[in-house]
Amino acid sequence: MTARPRQPAAHLANLDLNLLVALRELLRERNVTRAAARIGVSQPAASASLSRLRRHFDDELLIRARSGYRLSPLAMQLAEHVETVCAAAERLFATGSRFDPGTSRREFTLLMADYTIAVLGRHLSTAIGAQAPGVDLHVRLVREAFALDFAETITLIDGMVSPPVDRFELASVRSVELFTDRWVCIADAANPDVDEGLTVERLAALPWVAPFQPDRGNPSGAPMSRQLALFGIRPEIRVRVESYQAVPYLVAGTDRVALMQERLARQVAEPLGLRVLPCPGDPEPIVERFWWHADRDRDPAHRWLRDTVIAAAARL
């Protein structure tokens, strides 16, 4: 008789799922003693877990280096996966239970752009620290490419702050508006090319700093690039950077210009010696929304998180 193939559920049942938590903390801390303290076990117990994980993956995972340990290439691949799996498991077992923010040890994972962190981060972090001192927050930076697998990604996190995009509008996804902003132009205060104000034609002739522009020759789907396309501008991009917050630092002291969200521009203009100028043309308004998967609707912990995020945005 031909043996029946082992089913995935049987394979999962034979795994010690406690090793997931050990793996997460070992990869986070890169130190057995600190990982043991985070898990609440002895150092020998954490060492034993590391040995079991090394046997399971047939890999060293933590490689001794001059200043401690470094992650092996496989461990670097596992680091993001184990964060996602542990967060999903925590949500699974917390669903339907009572949530007390004052005593909870839960971790929430949010996706945000660095612009959103600059605008909303302080208010959100303060609120969580005051109401839920034991709750951990894992903030991951949004990357443009992630939107390609949004339907899967949103099931693995607690929420995302982002402008509305057509492919986010799914029956299984919920969202609520948090705040609005508008596009402005920034330039160094000593830049003579902006003394007479800015027109679309003048913008087209100036050198630019552009965030999330993957290729010099091709237009990007990034929000700033979309605005320039609507103006009919194909700018001369001299600096490309994978960050919104970095843009003003690359404009300051140069003849370059950039489009920026006004809330962020106002934070940095004075210390960096920048001018914030009205944007010519008719730029679209910026609308930031909080997105989450419908499976979280009945989770009391997630309801608390949503209310906290909304309240933090209301303070802007």
Side-chain angles (χ1 to χ4, degrees):
M1 180 181 294
T2 302
R4 295 177 61 188
R6 168 171 274 186
Q7 299 299 312
H11 181 60
L12 185 62
N14 289 329
L15 294 177
D16 180 357
L17 298 183
N18 289 321
L19 288 176
L20 278 174
V21 178
L23 178 63
R24 179 178 68 176
E25 299 308 326
L26 286 164
L27 298 186
R28 280 179 172 179
E29 298 294 337
R30 305 185 188 189
N31 180 285
V32 175
T33 302
R34 291 200 300 268
R38 290 271 300 179
I39 302 168
V41 301
S42 66
Q43 193 271 346
S47 293
S49 293
L50 177 58
S51 296
R52 292 178 64 190
L53 288 163
R54 282 169 165 167
R55 289 194 299 272
H56 177 83
F57 289 106
D58 191 23
D59 188 89
E60 281 297 295
L61 300 179
L62 296 182
I63 301 172
R64 191 175 295 279
R66 183 174 301 176
S67 58
Y69 287 92
R70 62 180 177 85
L71 299 185
S72 72
L74 176 62
M76 288 189 282
Q77 294 180 46
L78 293 173
E80 183 170 344
H81 294 312
V82 73
E83 293 283 353
T84 300
V85 171
C86 286
E90 289 169 352
R91 288 193 299 269
L92 174 66
F93 288 102
T95 300
S97 62
R98 188 177 68 87
F99 178 72
D100 179 2
T103 60
S104 176
R105 302 291 301 179
R106 180 160 170 172
E107 179 175 88
F108 294 103
T109 300
L110 300 177
L111 278 178
M112 299 183 186
D114 62 348
Y115 149 69
T116 314
I117 295 170
V119 172
L120 185 63
R122 178 170 61 90
H123 298 298
L124 180 59
S125 181
T126 300
I128 290 176
Q131 299 176 41
V135 162
D136 292 335
L137 185 62
H138 180 198
V139 179
R140 296 171 55 189
L141 288 179
V142 171
R143 293 288 183 259
E144 186 179 355
F146 109 93
L148 299 176
D149 58 357
F150 171 76
E152 178 182 357
T153 300
I154 199 67
T155 67
L156 301 174
I157 61 174
D158 292 292
M160 175 187 72
V161 180
S162 169
V165 178
D166 287 344
R167 57 180 168 270
F168 296 171
E169 301 286 352
L170 304 174
S172 59
V173 175
R174 308 282 187 264
S175 72
V176 62
E177 184 175 315
L178 294 180
F179 64 91
T180 60
D181 206 341
R182 66 175 183 168
W183 294 105
V184 294
C185 295
I186 59 168
D188 189 85
N191 186 344
D193 292 327
V194 300
D195 285 345
E196 298 178 9
L198 289 174
T199 63
V200 170
E201 292 73 18
R202 185 177 292 274
L203 285 179
L206 294 173
W208 280 76
V209 176
F212 303 104
Q213 182 79 20
D215 190 293
R216 281 179 183 242
N218 297 314
S220 164
M224 187 221 73
S225 298
R226 173 179 167 81
Q227 297 310 306
L228 295 180
L230 290 174
F231 297 161
I233 294 177
R234 217 36 206 271
E236 179 192 359
I237 296 174
R238 303 297 297 275
V239 178
R240 296 178 294 140
V241 62
E242 304 302 305
S243 166
Y244 289 114
Q245 291 193 45
V247 168
Y249 294 90
L250 300 171
V251 170
T254 75
D255 61 349
R256 305 177 195 122
V257 295
L259 281 187
M260 277 199 73
Q261 303 91 339
E262 185 175 24
R263 292 180 185 273
L264 178 56
R266 296 293 180 190
Q267 288 184 17
V268 299
E270 184 174 351
L272 291 180
L274 298 174
R275 294 173 65 178
V276 179
L277 303 161
C279 185
D282 187 19
E284 297 175 320
I286 300 169
V287 179
E288 295 289 333
R289 300 185 69 87
F290 183 60
W291 305 81
W292 70 94
H293 196 274
D295 287 350
R296 313 281 186 268
D297 282 348
R298 297 181 181 179
D299 179 356
H302 198 273
R303 284 200 297 269
W304 172 83
L305 174 67
R306 296 196 300 267
D307 290 343
T308 303
V309 172
I310 293 168
R315 297 182 60 190
L316 297 179

